Amino acid sequence: MAEKMGILGRKLGMTRIFAGDGAAVAVTVIEAGPCPVTQVKTVEKDGYNALQIALTEAKEKHVDKAMRGHFAKAGTGLFRHTREIRLSGAPEQQPGQQLTVDIFAAGDVVKVTGKSMGKGYQGRMRRWNFAGSKDTHGCEKVHRNNGSVGNNTFPGHVFKGRKMAGHWGNETVTEMGLLIVGVRPEDNVILVKGSVPGPKNGLVLIRKQ
């Protein structure tokens, strides 16, 4: 699926700003870019249009040999993170160029992709919001248990996808319809109103909708 232009950044945390009418607006501060273009893909050569962008400079010892050659071909430094953004039209950028927060403006609607906060191993009540068993007479020490999950002799196994205890969070999440309320090119900062996934310092990909 073709996408519009985007940029990589890090979620710094939250603050608030005051709108023109004096209303306090809660915003997430994202330090985005500058992101060098490390590869350009086209329909003629690769079958689709896309840009590969990078973020966070890295030492040579932290980059494997294949990626060192890849970055050298693009004429950029070494980086820790790369992401690909599919484009609806032919890319205008060339390898080595940089994308900055200037591609956005206040009032733009964007979608933000990141890793949700990991919650570790959780029981079914917290993970799936189950009610649990009644806390009255005749229900001893099973108030938060799973209850029956199996079947009879046929099919003789628990169906895949059953809501049970397990690892919660730490999944790739995309939040749609977030509003950019401020762009500060001098600081490489974007102010976003809405729910931005991930923890502080988490890597996020911001794309226009």
Side-chain angles (χ1 to χ4, degrees), residues 154-174:
F154 178 82
H157 64 86
V158 178
F159 286 116
K160 188 175 182 179
R162 171 75 69 177
K163 293 180 178 179
M164 301 175 70
H167 191 187
W168 186 31
N170 196 33
E171 298 177 331
T172 299
V173 176
T174 298

PDB file of all heavy atoms in Angstrom, residues 154-174:
ATOM      1  N   PHE A 154     -13.042 -34.838  21.496  1.00  0.00           N
ATOM      2  CA  PHE A 154     -12.895 -34.185  20.191  1.00  0.00           C
ATOM      3  C   PHE A 154     -13.156 -32.701  20.350  1.00  0.00           C
ATOM      4  O   PHE A 154     -14.189 -32.345  20.924  1.00  0.00           O
ATOM      5  CB  PHE A 154     -13.880 -34.781  19.164  1.00  0.00           C
ATOM      6  CG  PHE A 154     -13.796 -34.089  17.824  1.00  0.00           C
ATOM      7  CD1 PHE A 154     -12.816 -34.448  16.917  1.00  0.00           C
ATOM      8  CD2 PHE A 154     -14.674 -33.061  17.496  1.00  0.00           C
ATOM      9  CE1 PHE A 154     -12.736 -33.811  15.685  1.00  0.00           C
ATOM     10  CE2 PHE A 154     -14.597 -32.425  16.281  1.00  0.00           C
ATOM     11  CZ  PHE A 154     -13.621 -32.803  15.373  1.00  0.00           C
ATOM     12  N   PRO A 155     -12.290 -31.778  19.924  1.00  0.00           N
ATOM     13  CA  PRO A 155     -11.026 -32.034  19.233  1.00  0.00           C
ATOM     14  C   PRO A 155      -9.851 -32.303  20.176  1.00  0.00           C
ATOM     15  O   PRO A 155      -8.741 -32.543  19.714  1.00  0.00           O
ATOM     16  CB  PRO A 155     -10.807 -30.738  18.475  1.00  0.00           C
ATOM     17  CG  PRO A 155     -11.422 -29.697  19.340  1.00  0.00           C
ATOM     18  CD  PRO A 155     -12.609 -30.340  19.983  1.00  0.00           C
ATOM     19  N   GLY A 156     -10.059 -32.212  21.471  1.00  0.00           N
ATOM     20  CA  GLY A 156      -9.009 -32.631  22.401  1.00  0.00           C
ATOM     21  C   GLY A 156      -7.856 -31.654  22.546  1.00  0.00           C
ATOM     22  O   GLY A 156      -6.772 -32.053  22.946  1.00  0.00           O
ATOM     23  N   HIS A 157      -8.078 -30.399  22.211  1.00  0.00           N
ATOM     24  CA  HIS A 157      -7.014 -29.409  22.409  1.00  0.00           C
ATOM     25  C   HIS A 157      -7.651 -28.039  22.592  1.00  0.00           C
ATOM     26  O   HIS A 157      -8.843 -27.842  22.311  1.00  0.00           O
ATOM     27  CB  HIS A 157      -6.039 -29.392  21.233  1.00  0.00           C
ATOM     28  CG  HIS A 157      -6.659 -28.966  19.936  1.00  0.00           C
ATOM     29  ND1 HIS A 157      -6.786 -27.651  19.558  1.00  0.00           N
ATOM     30  CD2 HIS A 157      -7.211 -29.692  18.938  1.00  0.00           C
ATOM     31  CE1 HIS A 157      -7.366 -27.581  18.378  1.00  0.00           C
ATOM     32  NE2 HIS A 157      -7.654 -28.804  17.980  1.00  0.00           N
ATOM     33  N   VAL A 158      -6.859 -27.098  23.076  1.00  0.00           N
ATOM     34  CA  VAL A 158      -7.341 -25.726  23.264  1.00  0.00           C
ATOM     35  C   VAL A 158      -7.213 -24.989  21.934  1.00  0.00           C
ATOM     36  O   VAL A 158      -6.159 -25.006  21.297  1.00  0.00           O
ATOM     37  CB  VAL A 158      -6.517 -25.001  24.353  1.00  0.00           C
ATOM     38  CG1 VAL A 158      -6.991 -23.566  24.511  1.00  0.00           C
ATOM     39  CG2 VAL A 158      -6.635 -25.750  25.675  1.00  0.00           C
ATOM     40  N   PHE A 159      -8.266 -24.336  21.510  1.00  0.00           N
ATOM     41  CA  PHE A 159      -8.243 -23.633  20.230  1.00  0.00           C
ATOM     42  C   PHE A 159      -7.263 -22.463  20.262  1.00  0.00           C
ATOM     43  O   PHE A 159      -7.166 -21.737  21.261  1.00  0.00           O
ATOM     44  CB  PHE A 159      -9.638 -23.116  19.871  1.00  0.00           C
ATOM     45  CG  PHE A 159     -10.582 -24.201  19.436  1.00  0.00           C
ATOM     46  CD1 PHE A 159     -11.711 -24.486  20.184  1.00  0.00           C
ATOM     47  CD2 PHE A 159     -10.328 -24.930  18.288  1.00  0.00           C
ATOM     48  CE1 PHE A 159     -12.578 -25.480  19.789  1.00  0.00           C
ATOM     49  CE2 PHE A 159     -11.202 -25.941  17.885  1.00  0.00           C
ATOM     50  CZ  PHE A 159     -12.320 -26.219  18.635  1.00  0.00           C
ATOM     51  N   LYS A 160      -6.552 -22.286  19.169  1.00  0.00           N
ATOM     52  CA  LYS A 160      -5.611 -21.187  19.040  1.00  0.00           C
ATOM     53  C   LYS A 160      -6.359 -19.851  19.135  1.00  0.00           C
ATOM     54  O   LYS A 160      -7.447 -19.698  18.574  1.00  0.00           O
ATOM     55  CB  LYS A 160      -4.874 -21.263  17.698  1.00  0.00           C
ATOM     56  CG  LYS A 160      -3.744 -20.274  17.554  1.00  0.00           C
ATOM     57  CD  LYS A 160      -2.992 -20.504  16.241  1.00  0.00           C
ATOM     58  CE  LYS A 160      -1.833 -19.539  16.125  1.00  0.00           C
ATOM     59  NZ  LYS A 160      -1.075 -19.755  14.854  1.00  0.00           N
ATOM     60  N   GLY A 161      -5.757 -18.897  19.867  1.00  0.00           N
ATOM     61  CA  GLY A 161      -6.384 -17.593  20.019  1.00  0.00           C
ATOM     62  C   GLY A 161      -7.201 -17.440  21.290  1.00  0.00           C
ATOM     63  O   GLY A 161      -7.759 -16.371  21.544  1.00  0.00           O
ATOM     64  N   ARG A 162      -7.273 -18.483  22.092  1.00  0.00           N
ATOM     65  CA  ARG A 162      -8.011 -18.396  23.361  1.00  0.00           C
ATOM     66  C   ARG A 162      -7.402 -17.305  24.240  1.00  0.00           C
ATOM     67  O   ARG A 162      -6.184 -17.198  24.367  1.00  0.00           O
ATOM     68  CB  ARG A 162      -7.944 -19.742  24.079  1.00  0.00           C
ATOM     69  CG  ARG A 162      -8.481 -19.760  25.495  1.00  0.00           C
ATOM     70  CD  ARG A 162      -9.990 -19.730  25.534  1.00  0.00           C
ATOM     71  NE  ARG A 162     -10.550 -20.960  25.041  1.00  0.00           N
ATOM     72  CZ  ARG A 162     -11.856 -21.231  25.012  1.00  0.00           C
ATOM     73  NH1 ARG A 162     -12.711 -20.324  25.444  1.00  0.00           N
ATOM     74  NH2 ARG A 162     -12.295 -22.378  24.535  1.00  0.00           N
ATOM     75  N   LYS A 163      -8.242 -16.474  24.830  1.00  0.00           N
ATOM     76  CA  LYS A 163      -7.761 -15.384  25.668  1.00  0.00           C
ATOM     77  C   LYS A 163      -7.317 -15.934  27.026  1.00  0.00           C
ATOM     78  O   LYS A 163      -8.149 -16.335  27.839  1.00  0.00           O
ATOM     79  CB  LYS A 163      -8.847 -14.328  25.853  1.00  0.00           C
ATOM     80  CG  LYS A 163      -9.190 -13.599  24.559  1.00  0.00           C
ATOM     81  CD  LYS A 163     -10.257 -12.557  24.772  1.00  0.00           C
ATOM     82  CE  LYS A 163     -10.549 -11.809  23.483  1.00  0.00           C
ATOM     83  NZ  LYS A 163     -11.614 -10.797  23.658  1.00  0.00           N
ATOM     84  N   MET A 164      -5.993 -15.931  27.225  1.00  0.00           N
ATOM     85  CA  MET A 164      -5.423 -16.480  28.453  1.00  0.00           C
ATOM     86  C   MET A 164      -4.321 -15.553  28.954  1.00  0.00           C
ATOM     87  O   MET A 164      -4.043 -14.509  28.351  1.00  0.00           O
ATOM     88  CB  MET A 164      -4.873 -17.891  28.201  1.00  0.00           C
ATOM     89  CG  MET A 164      -5.917 -18.888  27.708  1.00  0.00           C
ATOM     90  SD  MET A 164      -5.249 -20.502  27.291  1.00  0.00           S
ATOM     91  CE  MET A 164      -4.840 -21.116  28.914  1.00  0.00           C
ATOM     92  N   ALA A 165      -3.705 -15.928  30.063  1.00  0.00           N
ATOM     93  CA  ALA A 165      -2.576 -15.158  30.581  1.00  0.00           C
ATOM     94  C   ALA A 165      -1.423 -15.215  29.586  1.00  0.00           C
ATOM     95  O   ALA A 165      -1.286 -16.172  28.831  1.00  0.00           O
ATOM     96  CB  ALA A 165      -2.144 -15.713  31.928  1.00  0.00           C
ATOM     97  N   GLY A 166      -0.587 -14.167  29.574  1.00  0.00           N
ATOM     98  CA  GLY A 166       0.548 -14.172  28.660  1.00  0.00           C
ATOM     99  C   GLY A 166       1.209 -12.816  28.584  1.00  0.00           C
ATOM    100  O   GLY A 166       0.928 -11.903  29.372  1.00  0.00           O
ATOM    101  N   HIS A 167       2.103 -12.677  27.604  1.00  0.00           N
ATOM    102  CA  HIS A 167       2.864 -11.443  27.405  1.00  0.00           C
ATOM    103  C   HIS A 167       1.935 -10.357  26.882  1.00  0.00           C
ATOM    104  O   HIS A 167       1.225 -10.557  25.900  1.00  0.00           O
ATOM    105  CB  HIS A 167       3.987 -11.707  26.411  1.00  0.00           C
ATOM    106  CG  HIS A 167       4.983 -10.587  26.331  1.00  0.00           C
ATOM    107  ND1 HIS A 167       5.990 -10.553  25.411  1.00  0.00           N
ATOM    108  CD2 HIS A 167       5.116  -9.451  27.062  1.00  0.00           C
ATOM    109  CE1 HIS A 167       6.708  -9.454  25.565  1.00  0.00           C
ATOM    110  NE2 HIS A 167       6.191  -8.771  26.569  1.00  0.00           N
ATOM    111  N   TRP A 168       1.978  -9.207  27.531  1.00  0.00           N
ATOM    112  CA  TRP A 168       1.077  -8.107  27.182  1.00  0.00           C
ATOM    113  C   TRP A 168       1.905  -6.896  26.782  1.00  0.00           C
ATOM    114  O   TRP A 168       2.875  -6.526  27.436  1.00  0.00           O
ATOM    115  CB  TRP A 168       0.179  -7.779  28.384  1.00  0.00           C
ATOM    116  CG  TRP A 168      -0.885  -6.764  28.102  1.00  0.00           C
ATOM    117  CD1 TRP A 168      -1.525  -6.554  26.925  1.00  0.00           C
ATOM    118  CD2 TRP A 168      -1.444  -5.837  29.033  1.00  0.00           C
ATOM    119  NE1 TRP A 168      -2.461  -5.552  27.049  1.00  0.00           N
ATOM    120  CE2 TRP A 168      -2.425  -5.085  28.335  1.00  0.00           C
ATOM    121  CE3 TRP A 168      -1.218  -5.560  30.370  1.00  0.00           C
ATOM    122  CZ2 TRP A 168      -3.168  -4.089  28.947  1.00  0.00           C
ATOM    123  CZ3 TRP A 168      -1.962  -4.563  30.975  1.00  0.00           C
ATOM    124  CH2 TRP A 168      -2.937  -3.842  30.278  1.00  0.00           C
ATOM    125  N   GLY A 169       1.557  -6.277  25.667  1.00  0.00           N
ATOM    126  CA  GLY A 169       2.262  -5.088  25.200  1.00  0.00           C
ATOM    127  C   GLY A 169       3.453  -5.444  24.330  1.00  0.00           C
ATOM    128  O   GLY A 169       3.603  -6.570  23.846  1.00  0.00           O
ATOM    129  N   ASN A 170       4.335  -4.448  24.103  1.00  0.00           N
ATOM    130  CA  ASN A 170       5.534  -4.615  23.273  1.00  0.00           C
ATOM    131  C   ASN A 170       5.167  -5.088  21.874  1.00  0.00           C
ATOM    132  O   ASN A 170       5.798  -5.968  21.310  1.00  0.00           O
ATOM    133  CB  ASN A 170       6.521  -5.590  23.923  1.00  0.00           C
ATOM    134  CG  ASN A 170       7.915  -5.480  23.312  1.00  0.00           C
ATOM    135  OD1 ASN A 170       8.341  -4.405  22.910  1.00  0.00           O
ATOM    136  ND2 ASN A 170       8.615  -6.586  23.228  1.00  0.00           N
ATOM    137  N   GLU A 171       4.121  -4.488  21.304  1.00  0.00           N
ATOM    138  CA  GLU A 171       3.676  -4.812  19.958  1.00  0.00           C
ATOM    139  C   GLU A 171       3.723  -3.560  19.088  1.00  0.00           C
ATOM    140  O   GLU A 171       3.616  -2.441  19.588  1.00  0.00           O
ATOM    141  CB  GLU A 171       2.246  -5.351  19.975  1.00  0.00           C
ATOM    142  CG  GLU A 171       2.081  -6.637  20.750  1.00  0.00           C
ATOM    143  CD  GLU A 171       0.639  -7.106  20.809  1.00  0.00           C
ATOM    144  OE1 GLU A 171      -0.266  -6.247  20.755  1.00  0.00           O
ATOM    145  OE2 GLU A 171       0.423  -8.319  20.902  1.00  0.00           O
ATOM    146  N   THR A 172       3.886  -3.751  17.788  1.00  0.00           N
ATOM    147  CA  THR A 172       3.878  -2.625  16.861  1.00  0.00           C
ATOM    148  C   THR A 172       2.461  -2.081  16.754  1.00  0.00           C
ATOM    149  O   THR A 172       1.525  -2.820  16.417  1.00  0.00           O
ATOM    150  CB  THR A 172       4.392  -3.051  15.479  1.00  0.00           C
ATOM    151  OG1 THR A 172       5.737  -3.521  15.617  1.00  0.00           O
ATOM    152  CG2 THR A 172       4.378  -1.878  14.515  1.00  0.00           C
ATOM    153  N   VAL A 173       2.300  -0.795  17.039  1.00  0.00           N
ATOM    154  CA  VAL A 173       0.986  -0.161  17.067  1.00  0.00           C
ATOM    155  C   VAL A 173       1.019   1.088  16.190  1.00  0.00           C
ATOM    156  O   VAL A 173       2.002   1.834  16.197  1.00  0.00           O
ATOM    157  CB  VAL A 173       0.601   0.243  18.513  1.00  0.00           C
ATOM    158  CG1 VAL A 173      -0.718   0.999  18.528  1.00  0.00           C
ATOM    159  CG2 VAL A 173       0.521  -0.982  19.402  1.00  0.00           C
ATOM    160  N   THR A 174      -0.038   1.310  15.419  1.00  0.00           N
ATOM    161  CA  THR A 174      -0.166   2.529  14.626  1.00  0.00           C
ATOM    162  C   THR A 174      -1.399   3.294  15.091  1.00  0.00           C
ATOM    163  O   THR A 174      -2.518   2.758  15.051  1.00  0.00           O
ATOM    164  CB  THR A 174      -0.291   2.219  13.123  1.00  0.00           C
ATOM    165  OG1 THR A 174       0.889   1.551  12.678  1.00  0.00           O
ATOM    166  CG2 THR A 174      -0.456   3.503  12.312  1.00  0.00           C
TER     167      THR A 174
END
